[in-house]
């Protein structure tokens, strides 16, 4: 059965192009041209993945995202955003979006991202004490990390940070969420401590690897542990 996508895009040219390209790649695609249209369609028939343009004519994009998340808790939401909307991206990720792509993007990039998201169910809560991301294994109960079978020594906050990124592997985790989950507080000031810990993790996890790092920086937004 084809995976069902819902494209939410008010721009007729971009929307038609997306729908045609996605259908050509084997997806069953619906198209909503406004936020309220998207919410109506989601109530009738919940898609597997929603491609949500953040700039919609009728409703604020983050509000649409929040309501879609409620209407379709199991659907993956990937936002499409203009580069200037950095703040909106953070808000929308907080509102329940799983990922985002900045316009203009290449079709190949979009398809790769869709495949990665549709390949696996939403992780939400890890069902076992072990998280596996490529050759990385994170044992949550023993608080132990191995890479290719070799133990990696991590400091406590480095472990907590990696456990969070690994639970959401392949997805963006916002700086705000990391600060509140790992450091137990909302952080309005400097988040330099986060960058320091990411640097330390990279030193320990990327040794012997070619660039790029396992941990991708999404400037001003957050970090993503690459699912490989
Ligand atoms: Ca738009």
């Amino acid at each position: 059965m084809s995976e069902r996508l819902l494209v939410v895009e008010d721009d007729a040219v971009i929307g038609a192009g997306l729908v045609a390209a996605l259908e050509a790649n084997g997806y069953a695609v619906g198209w909503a041209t406004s936020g309220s249209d998207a919410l109506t369609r989601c109530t009738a028939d919940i898609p597997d993945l929603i491609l949500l343009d953040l700039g919609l004519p009728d409703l604020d994009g983050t509000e649409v995202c929040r309501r879609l998340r409620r209407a379709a808790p199991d659907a993956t939401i990937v936002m499409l955003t203009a580069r200037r909307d950095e703040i909106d991206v953070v808000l929308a990720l907080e509102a329940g979006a799983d990922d985002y792509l900045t316009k203009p993007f290449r079709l190949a990039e979009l398809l790769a991202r869709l495949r990665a998201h549709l390949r696996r169910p939403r992780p939400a809560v890890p069902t076992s004490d072990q998280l596996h991301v490529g050759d990385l294994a994170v044992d949550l109960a023993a608080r132990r990390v191995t890479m290719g079978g070799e133990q990696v020594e991590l400091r406590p906050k480095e472990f907590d940070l990696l456990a969070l990124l690994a639970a959401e592997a392949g997805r963006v985790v916002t700086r705000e969420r990391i600060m509140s989950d790992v450091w137990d507080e909302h952080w309005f000031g400097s988040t330099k401590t986060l960058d320091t810990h990411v640097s330390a993790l990279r030193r320990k996890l990327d040794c012997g690897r070619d660039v790029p790092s396992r941990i991708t920086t999404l400037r001003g937004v957050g970090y993503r542990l690459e699912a490989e």
Side-chain angles (χ1 to χ4, degrees), residues 9-10 53 55:
E9 171 63 78
D10 60 307
D53 176 32

Side-chain angles (χ1 to χ4, degrees), residues 8-51:
V8 187
E9 171 63 78
D10 60 307
D11 184 298
V13 175
I14 297 175
L18 272 176
V19 170
L22 294 170
E23 282 179 341
N25 280 274
Y27 295 108
V29 189
W31 180 9
T33 54
S34 69
S36 51
D37 186 10
L39 289 161
T40 308
R41 282 165 186 270
C42 264
T43 318
D45 183 18
I46 295 178
D48 299 306
L49 187 143
I50 301 166
L51 272 180

Side-chain angles (χ1 to χ4, degrees), residues 38-96:
L39 289 161
T40 308
R41 282 165 186 270
C42 264
T43 318
D45 183 18
I46 295 178
D48 299 306
L49 187 143
I50 301 166
L51 272 180
L52 174 63
D53 176 32
L54 211 47
L56 292 168
D58 58 336
L59 290 166
D60 176 62
T62 53
E63 182 56 27
V64 176
C65 185
R66 190 170 295 111
R67 292 195 208 171
L68 284 173
R69 174 47 72 225
R70 271 203 300 270
D74 294 328
T76 299
I77 302 177
V78 177
M79 284 177 309
L80 306 177
T81 167
R83 199 167 291 278
R84 63 179 179 277
D85 298 337
E86 198 170 78
I87 299 295
D88 293 343
V89 167
V90 172
L91 293 175
L93 289 169
E94 293 295 327

Side-chain angles (χ1 to χ4, degrees), residues 119-162:
R119 212 170 25 226
R120 57 180 193 279
R122 285 174 61 75
V125 184
T127 49
S128 87
D129 288 342
Q130 289 266 0
L131 298 170
H132 293 274
V133 182
D135 64 344
L136 264 184
V138 181
D139 186 328
L140 299 172
R143 292 183 63 86
R144 191 163 46 213
V145 174
T146 57
M147 188 168 59
E150 299 280 323
Q151 187 154 338
V152 184
E153 297 297 338
L154 296 182
R155 299 165 66 86
K157 287 297 183 200
E158 292 167 4
F159 178 89
D160 293 341
L161 173 58
L162 179 62

